[in-house]
């Protein structure tokens, strides 16, 4: 469903952020993306939701290629993806339900269908009682739940999360992670960038490790290409 | 997405923007208003110069002095001829006696100096409106001069040309200054909308992430721009009208724009608002 083929990404001043990255993520997978700061995790996620285009190589999402996609088709493709950030990115002057409704309005959902959908999403992330609160009246974990509800609004096939627990404490982290697992269990693929090695170890999901813009370890590749196992680097 | 639905959302967002940044909104409306006000004042001056000129033009006439002792048939035949020139409105004979009466009236107390018979008779020619330009005037004067009994033709050559030069300069200056003011107004509204865009950069980036099209993102800003431009235009119209009324009361009464020009001024405001915001939003969407 998501396929990188020999992808290079070069930024004008900072140089190569990704070097010859190839990877495949199938429908309904849960994937951790890890590695030191500056390794290129966020860059990979930006390439997936087309905030950036590869300098060389091809990124294919849902059968659409980064090489041939026209600018005006980008929004349509983005609606098949949900994105969550470390800093939540909620609209501070709107209620929780308005924040979620926003994603539905923007994509042209019929106004009559929005109310019911927002309630369902709020229930799914466990915030049914906070519909009319403003973001600043919520804890970090709750704000991230709102952001996740918004990301799910258009029924995405993949949820992209860039360090979604980076600003949260231990307990809130576990809550958000569990929510992401539940979402994944209902069929949505999840790609999550994180520094939290403890979380990765306990979860036993596919893990891709990056360093200096290259994939240095992929637990899925490791199993198929090198059944005997081996060192990660 | 249905068009009405898009419009409803765009209006909601545009009004929200007014409510969230009232100071910025008022600032941009006032800057548009002042740019158009300056433009309007200049326009009023130009309008009034033109108006005065057209009144002066009516008074342009050609006076052909008739040689003493010319017989009456010749002059009246010539009068008929001249009267049927396509550019000529009227031609009438002023006899030597009439000329004396007129001179006495115009010169008042110095009337004694004139003795009967000093002043020559003349044919006074008025031209039709729209045929008062220097070229036509001197062409007609030339034709009249061809009659044998016409001694000399006067038509205030210099005066006519000066009049036209002033009018042309006024028109040109109006156009140049008007364009300059409009340009400044576009830049000003562009930068105030740019501030509004930057203040909402976060919102725009979120809209993009959830899959909003550029058209959807742009439309509230464009509506906001048109709204501010229209309000600015109306405010400018009000200020210009006030200035005109005050001037009318204390200095001299002047012409005001008719409905067509007033509407054009407001439309110009809307256009400036639209251009300014289209420019700013377009630039922002290309940058991020
Ligand atoms: N917009 C940009 N312009 C220039 N350079 C960039 C840009 N975005 C990322 N980079 C560079 O690309 C490299 C990879 O950055 P990236 O954000 O992908 O790292 P990361 O793995 O997400 O790091 P972190 O864990 O700190 O979030 C870095 O060297 C960074 O400086
Ligand atoms: Mg990052």
């Amino acid at each position: 469903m998501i396929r990188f083929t020999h992808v290079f990404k070069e930024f004008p001043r900072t140089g190569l952020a990704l070097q010859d990255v190839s990877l495949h993520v199938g429908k309904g997978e849960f994937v951790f993306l890890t590695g030191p700061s500056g390794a290129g995790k966020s860059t990979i996620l930006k390439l997936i939701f087309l905030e950036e285009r590869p300098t060389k190589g091809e990124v294919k999402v849902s059968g659409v290629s980064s090489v041939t996609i026209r600018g005006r088709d980008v929004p349509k493709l983005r609606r098949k993806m949900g994105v969550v950030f470390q800093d939540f990115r909620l609209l501070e002057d709107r209620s929780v339900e308005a924040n979620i409704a926003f994603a539905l309005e923007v994509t042209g959902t019929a106004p009559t269908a929005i109310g019911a959908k927002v309630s369902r999403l709020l229930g799914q992330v466990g915030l049914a009682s906070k519909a009319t609160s403003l973001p600043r009246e919520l804890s970090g974990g709750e704000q991230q739940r709102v952001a996740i509800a918004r990301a799910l609004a258009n029924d995405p096939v993949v949820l992209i999360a860039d360090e979604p627990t980076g600003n949260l404490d231990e307990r809130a982290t576990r809550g958000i992670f569990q929510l992401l697992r539940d979402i994944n269990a209902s069929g949505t693929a999840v790609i999550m960038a994180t520094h939290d090695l403890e979380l990765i170890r306990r979860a036993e999901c596919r893990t891709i490790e990056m360093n200096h813009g290259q994939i240095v370890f992929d637990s899925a590749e490791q199993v198929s290409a090198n059944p005997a196992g081996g060192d990660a680097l | 997405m249905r068009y009405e639905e898009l419009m409803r959302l765009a209006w909601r967002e545009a009004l929200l923007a007014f409510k969230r940044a009232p100071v910025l909104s008022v600032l941009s409306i006032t800057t548009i208003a002042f740019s158009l006000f300056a433009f309007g004042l200049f326009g009023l001056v130009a309008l009034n110069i033109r108006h005065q000129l057209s009144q002066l033009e009516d008074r342009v006439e050609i006076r052909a002095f008739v040689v003493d002792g010319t017989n009456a048939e010749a002059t009246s035949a010539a009068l008929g001829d001249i009267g049927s020139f396509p550019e000529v409105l009227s031609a009438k004979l002023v006899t030597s006696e009439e000329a004396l009466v007129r001179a006495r009236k115009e010169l008042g107390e110095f009337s004694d100096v004139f003795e009967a018979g000093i002043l020559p008779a003349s044919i006074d020619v008025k031209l039709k409106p729209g045929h008062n330009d220097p070229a036509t005037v001197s062409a007609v004067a030339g034709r009249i001069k061809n009659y044998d009994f016409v001694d000399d033709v006067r038509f205030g050559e210099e005066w006519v040309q000066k009049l036209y030069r002033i009018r042309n300069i006024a028109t040109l200056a109006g156009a140049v200054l008007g364009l300059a003011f409009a340009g400044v107004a576009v830049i000003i509204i562009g930068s105030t909308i740019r501030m509004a865009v930057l203040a909402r950069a976060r919102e725009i980036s979120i809209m993009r992430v959830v899959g909003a099209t550029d058209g959807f993102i742009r439309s509230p800003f464009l509506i906001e721009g048109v709204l501010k431009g229209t309000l600015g235009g109306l405010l400018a119209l009000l200020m210009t009208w006030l200035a005109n009324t005050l001037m009318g009361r204390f200095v001299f009464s002047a012409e005001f724009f008719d409905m067509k020009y007033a509407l054009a001024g407001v439309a110009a405001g809307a256009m400036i608002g639209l251009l300014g915001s289209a420019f700013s939003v377009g630039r922002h969407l290309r940058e991020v």
Side-chain angles (χ1 to χ4, degrees):
Chain A
M1 187 193 49
I2 294 172
R3 187 181 291 280
F4 279 52
T5 348
H6 301 296
V7 170
F8 290 75
K9 179 67 194 178
E10 188 172 0
F11 286 112
R13 280 188 307 279
T14 49
L16 271 182
L18 291 183
Q19 291 183 52
D20 198 16
V21 169
S22 296
L23 65 86
H24 175 254
V25 176
K27 277 203 172 68
E29 264 195 274
F30 193 111
V31 182
F32 279 122
L33 204 55
T34 188
S37 189
K41 305 180 293 293
S42 298
T43 305
I44 285 198
L45 299 183
K46 283 177 187 167
L47 285 167
I48 294 175
F49 71 92
L50 284 126
E51 191 178 310
E52 298 285 353
R53 303 280 184 101
T55 313
K56 220 172 94 188
E58 183 187 42
V59 175
K60 249 184 157 169
V61 181
S62 242
V64 181
S65 163
S66 63
V67 179
T68 53
I69 190 170
R70 287 170 305 176
R72 62 191 161 97
D73 292 330
V74 169
K76 255 180 261 157
L77 188 59
R78 283 191 184 144
R79 292 173 197 181
K80 296 186 180 170
M81 307 184 230
V83 191
V84 175
F85 303 94
Q86 183 173 357
D87 58 355
F88 322 134
R89 301 204 191 167
L90 301 174
L91 296 170
E92 299 298 333
D93 58 351
R94 292 175 209 223
S95 68
V96 164
E97 54 186 1
N99 264 281
I100 300 168
F102 187 69
L104 291 163
E105 288 165 349
V106 154
T107 51
T109 310
T112 47
I114 290 179
K117 185 130 201 207
V118 169
S119 311
R120 189 174 65 64
L121 288 162
L122 278 173
Q124 190 179 351
V125 299
L127 284 179
S129 61
K130 304 277 187 179
T132 55
S133 305
L134 288 173
R136 63 167 177 277
E137 296 163 352
L138 303 180
S139 72
E142 287 169 333
Q143 289 189 48
Q144 193 59 290
R145 283 169 189 271
V146 178
I148 291 171
R150 182 181 65 194
L152 294 177
N154 290 301
D155 303 313
V157 291
V158 57
L159 185 68
I160 296 157
D162 196 351
E163 300 186 38
T165 60
N167 282 351
L168 304 179
D169 65 18
E170 175 65 29
R171 258 173 66 99
T173 296
R174 265 184 278 136
I176 292 294
F177 180 62
Q178 191 51 50
L179 178 58
L180 293 178
R181 290 306 298 254
D182 293 345
I183 289 164
N184 179 239
S186 62
T188 309
V190 176
I191 304 176
M192 172 175 171
T194 184
H195 287 288
D196 193 336
L197 296 177
E198 181 62 27
L199 190 72
I200 294 172
R201 209 169 34 183
R202 262 187 294 134
E204 293 177 342
C205 294
R206 177 178 172 190
T207 303
I208 296 172
E209 190 182 334
M210 311 269 314
N211 201 2
H212 299 303
Q214 288 175 304
I215 296 180
V216 292
F217 173 76
D218 183 340
S219 58
E221 294 286 317
Q222 204 67 18
V223 173
S224 56
N226 187 1
D231 54 290
L233 270 168
Chain B
M1 181 175 317
R2 280 190 7 263
Y3 178 72
E4 304 91 82
E5 184 55 20
L6 172 72
M7 271 334 222
R8 189 184 67 80
L9 289 170
W11 272 95
R12 191 191 72 188
E13 296 295 319
L15 293 177
L16 250 176
F18 261 85
K19 230 169 68 187
R20 270 183 299 200
V23 177
L24 203 60
S25 300
V26 168
L27 192 73
S28 31
I29 292 171
T30 350
T31 41
I32 296 180
F34 273 102
S35 321
L36 285 172
F37 178 51
F39 188 22
L41 283 186
F42 199 86
L44 270 186
V45 170
L47 181 79
N48 280 287
I49 288 181
R50 289 185 80 117
H51 183 72
Q52 295 295 326
L53 284 182
S54 72
Q55 284 183 341
L56 284 179
E57 272 174 9
D58 290 345
R59 284 191 250 149
V60 173
E61 56 178 36
I62 300 170
R63 185 167 295 170
F65 293 104
V66 177
V67 177
D68 242 3
T70 308
N71 70 35
E73 286 97 82
T75 36
S76 64
L79 265 182
D81 275 2
I82 295 169
S84 64
F85 285 179
E87 305 91 339
V88 171
L89 183 70
S90 69
K92 79 176 191 317
L93 182 71
V94 179
T95 62
S96 164
E97 293 76 26
E98 284 165 345
L100 190 64
V101 169
R102 182 168 66 190
R104 281 204 173 123
K105 205 162 72 194
E106 281 173 5
L107 293 169
E109 54 184 303
F110 304 107
S111 55
D112 294 351
V113 295
F114 297 107
E115 280 169 43
I118 290 185
L119 290 177
S122 65
I123 294 173
D124 284 10
V125 178
K126 271 198 186 314
L127 295 177
K128 285 181 187 160
H131 293 283
N132 293 319
D133 55 291
T136 314
V137 173
S138 61
V140 173
R143 258 180 282 158
I144 296 173
K145 202 169 184 167
N146 286 339
Y147 291 99
D148 304 333
F149 55 82
V150 169
D151 188 21
D152 189 16
V153 178
R154 298 224 184 118
F155 56 94
E157 220 168 342
E158 276 175 39
W159 185 68
V160 169
Q161 271 164 8
K162 225 176 252 167
L163 207 70
Y164 268 83
R165 211 171 301 136
I166 290 172
R167 197 180 95 163
N168 289 342
I169 288 170
T171 310
L172 185 72
V176 168
L177 279 180
L179 279 179
F181 276 125
V184 168
V186 168
I187 290 168
I188 289 172
I189 181 67
S191 36
T192 56
I193 295 259
R194 181 152 176 78
M195 288 200 300
V197 170
L198 288 179
R200 288 165 68 190
R202 196 182 146 79
E203 198 174 324
I204 291 176
S205 78
I206 292 170
M207 286 171 113
R208 289 198 135 173
V209 163
V210 298
T213 59
D214 280 358
F216 184 91
I217 297 173
R218 206 179 277 129
S219 45
F221 287 103
L222 298 188
I223 289 181
E224 195 183 328
V226 170
L227 224 56
K228 285 178 178 172
T230 309
L231 287 177
L234 288 173
L235 191 60
L237 191 60
L238 182 72
M239 292 196 293
T240 320
W241 180 80
L242 278 178
N244 191 61
T245 309
L246 284 179
M247 198 159 83
R249 183 162 308 161
F250 299 115
V251 193
F252 59 87
S253 82
E255 289 279 295
F256 194 62
F257 302 115
D258 60 18
M259 198 61 175
K260 205 171 63 192
Y261 282 107
L263 282 180
V266 177
M271 204 61 206
I272 289 171
L274 181 69
L275 283 181
S277 49
F279 180 72
S280 300
V281 184
R283 189 170 133 194
H284 184 76
L285 290 179
R286 274 194 306 279
E287 274 171 5
V288 292

